[in-house]
Amino acid sequence: MATATTEGIKISVEAIYQKEFSNPNLHHFVFTYKVTIENRNPFTIQLLRRKWEIYDAAETLKLVEGEGVVGQQPVLEPGCAHTYLSGCTIRSGMGKMKGEFYVEKLNDGKLLTVIIPEFQLIANIFNN
């Protein structure tokens, strides 16, 4: 599991290779990743946007940006956490992801950039 804390917001990410949905012969490797966002601040935040950088050993960098996460813009009170599951596909079976969340402090409207730590995407095609 990869973790990072920025501006009092802890991000934890765990990636899992999905062998049953992958087809290595067709260069199609599916991964899910579980992200937990913990607000360790004394103020409430709202996640507005996200930006992902997806690196595949077989391709160049792919950028994915958009509003919220899986259709939501969660509000996190002090001490609360939000967990969600998402996924991606890569062609080589080896890659990595990292990114940023853009959150707003609801008490004063200040925007914060929160680091999503880099994590590995490795297809364990023999044991998984």
Side-chain angles (χ1 to χ4, degrees):
M1 180 179 299
T3 63
T5 302
T6 311
E7 301 274 2
I9 302 164
K10 181 180 178 185
I11 307 297
S12 303
V13 187
E14 182 179 13
I16 302 166
Y17 174 55
Q18 300 295 323
K19 183 177 182 178
E20 62 274 17
F21 300 109
S22 300
N23 188 335
N25 294 330
L26 296 177
H27 306 286
H28 183 78
F29 297 88
V30 178
F31 293 85
T32 56
Y33 52 91
K34 182 172 82 169
V35 179
T36 300
I37 306 159
E38 297 178 56
N39 182 9
R40 297 181 165 187
N41 290 296
F43 50 80
T44 302
I45 60 168
Q46 182 173 18
L47 190 149
L48 301 177
R49 299 187 58 80
R50 86 304 192 176
K51 177 175 80 173
W52 287 103
E53 297 176 10
I54 306 170
Y55 298 88
D56 185 335
E59 297 179 342
T60 58
L61 167 69
K62 184 188 311 181
L63 292 175
V64 178
E65 297 184 64
E67 290 188 1
V69 290
V70 292
Q72 300 179 342
Q73 292 181 313
V75 173
L76 284 83
E77 300 287 336
C80 291
H82 178 79
T83 299
Y84 72 94
L85 189 66
S86 192
C88 71
T89 60
I90 57 175
R91 292 185 44 79
S92 71
M94 291 185 64
K96 61 185 177 180
M97 290 177 64
K98 66 179 181 177
E100 296 174 337
F101 288 132
Y102 304 101
V103 303
E104 179 182 2
K105 290 173 59 180
L106 294 184
N107 63 334
D108 64 8
K110 182 179 177 187
L111 297 177
L112 305 173
T113 300
V114 179
I115 301 299
I116 304 169
E118 182 176 288
F119 59 97
Q120 304 298 310
L121 303 171
I122 301 174
N124 184 346
I125 60 175
F126 300 108
N127 297 323
N128 214 3

